[in-house]
Amino acid sequence: MSYEDNIRKVKPYVPGEQPSGSGIIKLNTNENPYPPSPAVGRVLREFDQDILKKYPDPEAVKLTEVLAEEYGVSKEQVFVGVGSDDVLAQSFLTFFNSKRPVLFPDITYSFYPVWCDLFGIAYDTVPLNEAFELEAADYDRENGGIVIANPNAPTGREASLSEIESIVKNSPDSVCIIDEAYIDFGGESALSLIERYENLLVVRTFSKSRSLAGSRIGFAIGSRKLIAYLSDVKFSFNSYTMDSVTQAIGVAALTDKGYFSDTVRRIISTRQNAIASFCELGFSVIPSSANFLFVTHPTYPADELFAMLRGRGVYVRYFNSPRIDNYLRVTIGTDEEMKKLFEILREYMG
Ligand code: PMP
């Protein structure tokens, strides 16, 4: 016997590298290459530090109200968390409390199995087809919950709204979480289904499309019932999760709609050009509705290209996992960053 026998041991999620230093091109963690809205800068400059002596609003009421207005739902249908990782973790804890397995694709966000292990949730992975497409009928079986990233990560592929709807509709006895971290880059959201399906929870983030990965703002939208259960768990865990500065930043970012649509449009346009450049070099590119591309080359192994790029200060993501170990996930940067990436690739690949 040792004290270690009583310790909860987990295998943690491994986030992408955060290298520092000048001249590095960082295309490995799906951050937005553009700064947050100037409205965020104004909040930071003008923030009254006296506010920090008090606890923050535990319910983030203002941010919740602005989100409710933006997405056309009532504020009782919105839950705010510290990044969507926090929202997802709390959601797994709240909604996946069955002996039956939770279902998610074999290739998807690698945090899902980590939360299942942490919380003791049984799960089964459902293989995507050869093209990394989701087949809705595969989820039509007994389950204790379903979680789908749409668009998926790390593939970027989007499942159609009708496929998502049929998954949600066919499992009325479990909660279906649709993780829409990347939906703003051209995807069709499941938010339009919220009023029809009480078991649907849509999770979103400010980290990607609103350039605020460093501020940690995520949220969920669902039926009043689901949001009430989720809030009960959150308030049984930690009341003061989101600090006052972040709440104010979130409101400012959400209010600047012009800046948001402008930067999203730029990323989509850079993505189109990047697809063409990858194809010219002989890569296959999975169709993407996200701010990244998943690419593979018939002759140059992905791990070799990953190491070569890293040596030249360009960080992309490589996953040494079954089925995807010959792919690179490349975040869409600025036009200049992508130009540099393709110069290096062209030079190396001759
Ligand atoms: N879901 C998916 C599919 C992601 O790729 C990420 C980013 N790692 C997240 C959720 C979490 O993002 P955040 O916690 O920054 O909102």
Side-chain angles (χ1 to χ4, degrees):
M1 242 332 242
S2 134
Y3 69 89
E4 282 189 285
D5 295 338
N6 296 326
I7 290 176
R8 191 187 303 278
K9 298 175 196 78
V10 286
K11 204 163 162 274
Y13 169 76
V14 184
E17 283 179 272
Q18 290 291 358
S20 55
S22 61
I24 281 173
I25 296 183
K26 202 172 166 304
L27 307 175
N28 68 334
T29 49
N30 298 342
E31 288 144 337
N32 196 309
Y34 301 108
S37 150
V40 168
R42 280 195 291 280
V43 167
L44 287 173
R45 281 192 301 279
E46 291 162 17
F47 195 83
D48 174 6
Q49 70 177 57
D50 213 38
I51 292 174
L52 292 179
K53 74 185 180 204
K54 292 189 288 184
Y55 283 108
D57 174 2
E59 290 173 13
V61 169
K62 180 80 181 127
L63 180 55
T64 303
E65 282 173 357
V66 179
L67 280 166
E69 196 187 320
E70 171 70 17
Y71 293 104
V73 294
S74 76
K75 63 181 196 307
E76 292 78 23
Q77 291 179 277
V78 180
F79 174 87
V80 166
V82 185
S84 55
D85 280 342
D86 177 47
V87 176
L88 287 163
Q90 308 262 8
S91 301
F92 275 47
L93 188 56
T94 310
F95 302 122
F96 297 162
N97 190 29
S98 160
K99 298 255 181 310
R100 284 163 294 169
V102 164
L103 305 179
F104 48 84
D106 61 338
I107 298 163
T108 191
Y109 188 30
S110 51
F111 224 139
Y112 302 157
V114 175
W115 286 315
C116 286
D117 289 340
L118 176 63
F119 299 136
I121 300 165
Y123 68 92
D124 268 349
T125 56
V126 181
L128 297 174
N129 72 16
E130 280 303 301
F132 299 142
E133 288 161 331
L134 170 149
E135 312 256 4
D138 295 344
Y139 293 81
D140 195 1
R141 62 172 164 109
E142 220 190 31
N143 66 75
I146 295 174
V147 55
I148 306 282
N150 197 40
N152 198 11
T155 65
R157 242 197 206 287
E158 184 188 2
S160 71
L161 190 58
S162 61
E163 281 167 308
I164 296 291
E165 177 166 11
S166 89
I167 290 173
V168 177
K169 195 179 188 169
N170 289 335
S171 285
D173 298 332
S174 20
V175 173
C176 296
I177 300 175
I178 308 299
D179 175 356
E180 295 191 347
Y182 302 101
I183 199 74
D184 290 326
F185 300 102
E188 195 177 0
S189 174
L191 278 178
S192 58
L193 306 174
I194 287 289
E195 297 304 328
R196 253 176 294 154
Y197 300 98
E198 224 176 60
N199 61 324
L200 168 64
L201 189 81
V202 174
V203 176
R204 296 270 194 104
T205 180
F206 283 41
S207 295
K208 321 291 179 181
S209 55
R210 297 187 192 273
S211 310
L212 282 170
S215 280
R216 317 303 302 126
I217 306 175
F219 61 101
I221 296 183
S223 59
R224 284 175 176 74
K225 248 192 203 165
L226 290 192
I227 297 302
Y229 283 124
L230 190 52
S231 298
D232 285 348
V233 165
K234 178 235 153 113
F235 283 105
S236 309
F237 193 78
N238 180 356
S239 315
Y240 306 111
T241 48
M242 184 179 285
D243 67 84
S244 315
V245 182
T246 303
Q247 293 187 26
I249 283 175
V251 171
L254 205 57
T255 315
D256 191 350
K257 296 183 192 186
Y259 185 86
F260 167 75
S261 49
D262 206 46
T263 44
V264 163
R265 210 176 313 117
R266 278 159 83 175
I267 288 168
I268 292 173
S269 144
T270 308
R271 181 178 73 201
Q272 289 320 108
N273 295 334
I275 292 170
S277 302
F278 274 122
C279 291
E280 273 168 32
L281 285 165
F283 284 90
S284 301
V285 183
I286 303 291
S288 171
S289 303
N291 66 334
F292 56 86
L293 295 172
F294 205 47
V295 303
T296 186
H297 198 278
T299 47
Y300 289 89
D303 55 350
E304 175 188 320
L305 291 174
F306 168 77
M308 182 279 293
L309 287 168
R310 196 171 181 278
R312 287 163 172 74
V314 180
Y315 286 71
V316 298
R317 194 86 193 260
Y318 172 70
F319 298 91
N320 193 4
S321 313
R323 298 187 67 191
I324 57 169
D325 58 359
N326 199 28
Y327 281 81
L328 293 177
R329 192 195 68 188
V330 182
T331 305
I332 302 301
T334 61
D335 285 329
E336 297 77 64
E337 287 171 326
M338 300 312 278
K339 188 165 163 257
K340 188 89 209 293
L341 165 75
F342 288 112
E343 275 168 15
I344 295 172
L345 284 174
R346 269 185 220 109
E347 188 196 316
Y348 186 76
M349 299 168 85

